Every structure is written in C-alpha cells, then in structure tokens.
C-alpha cells in the first residue's frame, strides 16, 4: 500500500508583526507519525519540506505544492523515506509551521496547524485554518492573534500488488516505442487522457528508465513533435510530451551531474554573499541602489557568469550517458527535419541542457538540492541575472548583433556587448558536440570505428624495472571509438591494442615517478600504460579524449595510484603489493550511468490509477476512433475528439481495447485486496499475514 499526500500552501492572512514591522514569513510542511520498534510506539518521525521566504508581509501568497509518500513497512514495493505499519496510517498528521525568517538571528515561531489523516482518507480538503500556538509554548497566546492559513490537502491511497499482476500493463507500456504511429501507443494515450501531462510523465519516465526503454520512446515522440514544428528557431520550445519527458529525465538522471558541476561554484557564491561584503551585481538602472556604479556591477556580474559558464562547458565528461543518448537522438532528428539549417542540430540540444537544465538549476538551486534553503532576495536576484546570461550564452547564435537588438531589456543587451561572440560560440559548440556524441559507445550498424585522435608520443616499456632513456620509446598512438593502439610508425600495424571497454581509468602521473613532465597513465586489465606527451596541452587533450570515450565503462575505477610501482613499492603510498587498491580518488570517480532506484511495480500501479481515473476519456477516445473509421468524409463536428491526436484510428482503437481489458482485470485484483483488507481478520493473523520481516 502506498499513501500519497499533495499539500498546497496557498496563503496566510493577518500574521503578527515582529518588532512593530511586517514579518518575513515562510512555512515548513511536515508529515508526522509514529515509529514502532518491537510493536511499541517509540518516537514520532518527521518528513519536512519548506516554502520560499516572503519579504515584509503579513499576508503572504505562497502557492507552493509539496508531495509526500508513505509505504507500509511490509510493502511489496521498495521503501519510501517514510514507512509506517498499516494500522498506524490513521495516526499520521499533516503539520504546517509558520516562521519569521531571522536571516543571521534565530527564526521566530509564528504559529502552527495540525490536520489528522483520518479526516482526509481518500478525499481532498481545502479550508482556512486559524494558526495555533505550540502545545508546549506560551499558554497565554491568543489564537486569534496569530493569523490564518489557507491549505489544500489531497490524500490518495494506492495498493501495489505483487509484480506478476502488472505484467500485461507493463509489457503494453514498454513496447510503446515500437508502435506505429507512436500516437497509437499506450504510453502516448496515457498522456492524452490525463488533464495534466505531468501526472502521466512522472511515472511513465521512471518506468521506461527502469526498463531501459526511455531513449527510443523519447525519439519517437520527439519526431512527432517536430512534424508540427514549422520554424527551426522554435524547435522543442513548447511543453509537449517529448519536452516534458526529457525535462523529467534530466531531473532524475542529472542530479549527480548538477552536483559535481554547479554545487561548488554556487556554494562559493552564496557563502561569499553571506559572510563577506557581497559584490553588487544589479545592472537594471531602475533597480540599482543609490551609490552603486553600474559599470562595477556589470564587472561583478561578468565575473560570476564567466565562472558558471566555464564550469558548464568543461563538464561534458560528467554528463550521464543516458542524457548523451537522448541529446544525440534529438540532434539528428532536428537536423533531419530542417536539413537546410546548419544550426538547428545545436539549438535542439541547447534548448534542453542550457535553458531547461543548467539555467533552471542556477536560479533555483534549492529545488535541485544544490543549496539547503531558498536564497535571500538579493542573492536570488543575482542568480536570476546569472541564469539569464547562461540561457543567452547557451542559445546558439544569441550573441549576434541582430539577436541582441531584439532583447526586451536594454540593460541585458548592453551587458552582452562585453562578450566576444566567437569565443563563447565555439565553447558552446564544442560542449554541445561532446554531450550529444556517441563516441563512448560501440557503433551500431556501422562497420568502421570512428576515428577520434592520433599523434606521436613516448611510452614506457611494459614490465621494465630500471629507470633510463631506453625504457621510453617513441610510438604513433591512435584512438578510435573501439580501441586505443600504438604503432612503430604511422600507417603501420598496431603493436599493442587496448579495447575501449577494458579501460578502467585515465589519470595524470606524478612527475617524480620517472622525472619526466606531461605524463599520464592508462589503467586497464594488465599493468598500467605510462605515456609522455610532448607538452602539457597535448597531455590534457589526450586525457580528455580518453576519458570522454570511456565514460560509460561500467567497471571504471574509483581510486588509483598517482605514482608508479617501482622497486617493490608504490612511490605514492609505499604499499608493497602491486595490485592493491589505489590511494587517491579518480578525477571522474562516479560512472556516468548512475544507478537510480526505481520501483517498476509502484510506477505501473500509478499508471493503472491514472487510467482508472480517466476511464471516461478512454471511452470518449474509443468512440472518436470508431467515428473516424466508419465515417471517412470531412469532419463536420470535430469538437468531440479534436483535443486528441489520432493519426491511425484502427491502431489507436486496438490499443485502447487492450488497455481497457487490462484495467478491468486489475480492477478485479484490487477489489479482492480491498475486501481482504476490510475483513475482520486481525493484521498478523493467518487470514491477513504480515509480509516480510519484523524488526
């Protein structure tokens, strides 16, 4: 069983003054419940989330929504963060605390409300509540002095059955990308019947991710999206099923990517804003403070923009392989749709990775867990300006004079005139090439490997123990998408070959190992291969190319030895065992394909619930398909089904029949469960046993 809570904090009215002034309120939203140990209530547990801070108001408008999940401890599913025994569900309560943000001093408690779950069972609840004082707080506080809060709570329960019950629905959804046309697939129909596409996208993306079916589905719906796109400069700019699927995929898969790319620079920026004298970055003449110099502010903003931009364009090696696969598909689909536009292949990718990923994370770092709390007003304003700049720099061709002249905000136009168009455009192009490349994968259907890099360097002979010039020999090195080789001379047969899939790490080598500069090492199944480049730039280029092509290798190492193993020990850590684990973390220690914990049965149950809720729309779509198939003339009254995408009425009708048959069978299974649950059999008895272990 899964219980879901959707809590919308709407607004407050009449919050008390703090020291005679309007407060800076925010709300914490909590789900509070008992925790059991050996059958005894031992503590209350709290899953808490927080709204944005509203400045100088006693009547704040929040309009923020939060989601919570509860699973039964003995559930068939993987566990959520909040678990209770089934009989304790009704002991849960929703709590909202109002606080005044004290910035550098302690926050002040303003009031709270508590709503028991037992009054919400399978219903939604919206009302005004009078804020109450704390139970252990000041007993003299008057409730009517604390103000009121409007709250909307929606509570639903889903029962997740054992996996075998979902086989038919799961298989129907997973083969969606193979259905022609894609609009006749079960996954696409789900998005059509849901009033809010986001309700369908979240479980659908997670289910397809879990079963490695997301990339072909995104490619199929993106191709349908492009059919309706008339101009190249509007590619993937709307809120279609394709764009929402990619957005959700990036949020799930790209968490670690954002963390390693943006968190250090945003932490540094936010800490400087709090602890030091913050550098003003406002460049809007209307908002600039008295005494501030707009040119100095522009220099400050430019410093931060450069720093964030530099981190982004250097981050391609950390981009998850799944994101690269999706970007590769989008890029080639866009180029196919607009063959005469050489830039559309880049704008198709930048519209996601810059506009919908990095720029959004910069302006709302707390949403992506890059910061613990929503930033203060001044920091938030600076992050907004940085985000706008990143969007513009990442948009292909936005720095041209014709594009700059179209800016609504003239002060942003003046700011971008300080950027060198060619320099930034080339950096963006290289980054987009890297993150939409399939270099790290074995080419499918291609007989010849992709040639990536070649050149002359020196390699140390394998297995030698003495140090001397004879141990280093000049060789010709070649890197392709399949293997790394070296040869006695260019165009000669390779002397030594390392398959790309066997490379475990590529790292720099300490100069003191062989008293030589510009060295790096390739770790693979045998002894490390030590290589000396001709200069530091060349060494960096080779390391970057090798890292990029091996980023999807599942057996990449997390630790390595920065120095060589000579004379019976590692020079770096003095360990005497040659195959001992490395003593330093690899520079790219987290594989690009991060493991995501997804419960496929839970997501399939959610999709079943969505189909059940929207059964009337499924029937309406079925009637529309029948009407189209029977009546082949012009559509005189399209209103009945004009909101649906029906490319092939026969194929769509066939899928709809499959869906309704499967839903009917699942309805029967859920009804049996509900009857069993409502029976008088005691939880833990033979008739209603506990599933799993009891701690």
């Amino acid at each position: 069983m899964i219980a879901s809570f959707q809590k919308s904090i709407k607004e407050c009215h009449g919050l008390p003054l703090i020291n005679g002034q309007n407060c800076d309120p925010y709300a914490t939203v909590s789900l509070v419940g008992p925790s059991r140990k050996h059958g005894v209530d031992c503590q209350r547990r709290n899953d808490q989330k927080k709204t944005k801070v509203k400045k100088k108001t006693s009547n704040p408008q929040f309009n923020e929504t939060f989601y919570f999940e509860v699973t039964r401890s003995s559930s068939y599913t993987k566990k959520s963060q909040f678990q209770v025994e089934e009989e304790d569900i009704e002991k849960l309560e929703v709590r909202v605390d109002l606080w005044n943000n004290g910035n550098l001093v302690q926050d002040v408690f303003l009031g709270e409300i508590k709503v028991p779950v037992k009054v919400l069972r399978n219903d939604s609840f919206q009302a005004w509540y009078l804020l109450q004082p704390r139970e252990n707080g000041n007993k003299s506080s008057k409730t009517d002095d604390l103000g009121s809060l409007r709250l909307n709570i929606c509570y639903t329960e889903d029962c997740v059955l054992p996996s075998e019950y979902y086989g038919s629905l799961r298989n129907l959804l997973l083969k969606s990308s193979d259905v022609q046309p894609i609009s006749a697939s079960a996954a696409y129909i789900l998005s059509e019947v849901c009033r809010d596409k986001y309700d369908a996208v979240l479980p659908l993306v997670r289910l397809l991710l879990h079963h490695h079916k997301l990339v072909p589905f995104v490619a199929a719906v993106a191709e349908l999206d492009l059919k309706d796109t008339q101009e190249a400069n509007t590619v993937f700019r709307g809120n279609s099923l394709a764009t929402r699927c990619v957005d959700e995929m990036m949020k799930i898969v790209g968490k670690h990517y954002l963390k390693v790319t943006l968190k250090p620079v945003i932490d540094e920026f936010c800490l400087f804003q709090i602890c030091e004298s913050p550098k003003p970055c406002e460049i809007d003449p209307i908002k600039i403070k008295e005494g501030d110099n707009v040119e100095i502010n522009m220099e400050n903003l430019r410093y931060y923009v450069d720093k964030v931009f530099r981190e982004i364009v250097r981050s391609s090696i950390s981009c998850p392989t799944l994101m690269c696969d999706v970007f590769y598909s989008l890029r080639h689909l866009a180029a196919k749709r607009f063959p005469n536009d050489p830039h559309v292949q880049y704008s198709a990718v930048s519209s996601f990775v810059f506009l919908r990923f990095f720029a959004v994370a910069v302006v709302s770092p707390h949403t992506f867990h890059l910061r613990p709390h929503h930033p203060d007003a001044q920091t938030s304003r600076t992050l907004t300006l940085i985000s706008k700049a990143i969007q513009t720099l990442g948009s292909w061709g936005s720095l041209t004079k014709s594009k700059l002249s179209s800016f609504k905000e003239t002060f942003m136009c003046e700011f971008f005139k300080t950027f060198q168009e060619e320099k930034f455009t080339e950096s963006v192009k290289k980054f987009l090439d890297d993150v939409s490349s399939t270099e790290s994968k074995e080419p499918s259907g291609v007989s010849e490997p992709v040639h990536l890099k070649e050149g002359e360097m020196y390699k140390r002979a394998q297995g030698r123990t003495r140090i001397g010039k004879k141990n280093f020999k000049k060789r010709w090195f070649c890197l392709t998408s399949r293997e790394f080789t070296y040869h006695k001379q260019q165009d000669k047969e390779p002397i030594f070959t390392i398959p790309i899939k066997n490379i475990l790490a590529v790292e720099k080598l300490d100069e003191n190992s062989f008293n030589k500069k510009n060295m790096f090492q390739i770790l693979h199944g045998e002894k490390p291969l030590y290589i000396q480049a001709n200069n530091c730039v060349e060494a960096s280029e080779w390391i970057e190319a090798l890292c990029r092509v091996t980023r999807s290798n599942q057996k990449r190492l997390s630790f390595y030895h920065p120095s060589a193993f000579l004379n019976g020990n590692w020079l770096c850590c003095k360990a005497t065992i040659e195959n001992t684990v490395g003593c330093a973390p690899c520079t790219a220690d987290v594989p690009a394909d991060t493991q995501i914990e997804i419960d496929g049965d839970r997501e399939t149950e959610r999709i079943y619930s969505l189909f059940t809720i929207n059964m009337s729309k499924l029937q309406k779509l079925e009637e529309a398909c029948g009407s189209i198939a029977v009546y082949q003339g012009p559509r005189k009254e399209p209103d009945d089904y004009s909101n649906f995408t029906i490319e092939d009425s026969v194929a769509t009708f066939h899928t709809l029949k499959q869906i309704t048959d499967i839903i009917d069978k699942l309805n029967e299974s859920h009804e049996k469960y509900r009857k069993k649950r409502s029976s008088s059999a005691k939880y833990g008895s033979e008739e209603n046993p506990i599933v799993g272990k009891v701690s």
Side-chain angles (χ1 to χ4, degrees), residues 114-183:
K114 298 178 181 179
V115 183
V117 166
K118 61 184 177 183
V119 304
L120 302 171
R121 295 300 287 259
N122 289 312
D123 201 359
S124 60
F125 207 80
Q126 177 171 277
W128 281 93
Y129 296 85
L130 286 175
L131 291 169
Q132 304 293 317
R134 273 183 174 160
E135 293 179 357
N136 59 346
N138 188 350
K139 298 295 183 180
S140 64
S141 297
K142 297 180 180 180
T143 58
D144 56 354
D145 291 338
L146 299 179
S148 56
L149 167 69
R150 186 159 70 97
L151 184 67
N152 185 5
I153 307 176
C154 181
Y155 175 86
T156 58
E157 283 186 6
D158 289 328
C159 163
V160 180
L161 302 172
S163 185
E164 57 266 24
Y165 286 85
Y166 298 107
S168 298
L169 180 57
R170 181 172 56 243
N171 292 337
L172 186 64
L173 291 162
L174 294 179
K175 70 177 185 180
S176 291
S177 58
D178 301 324
V179 176
Q180 294 293 334
I182 188 65
S183 59

Side-chain angles (χ1 to χ4, degrees), residues 49-53 64 66 258 263 266-267 270 360-376 380 383:
K49 299 177 183 180
K50 180 182 173 182
T51 69
K52 297 177 182 178
V53 176
E64 293 190 45
F66 302 92
L258 279 178
K263 193 175 190 316
I266 289 180
D267 281 346
C270 291
V360 177
V362 169
V363 78
S364 301
H366 60 293
T367 305
F368 293 84
H369 307 290
L370 301 178
R371 293 293 298 167
H373 303 297
H374 188 274
D376 61 70
S380 182
L383 289 173

Side-chain angles (χ1 to χ4, degrees), residues 5 18 88 239 251 339:
F5 294 85
I18 302 295
D88 290 336
N239 283 322
K251 289 178 184 177

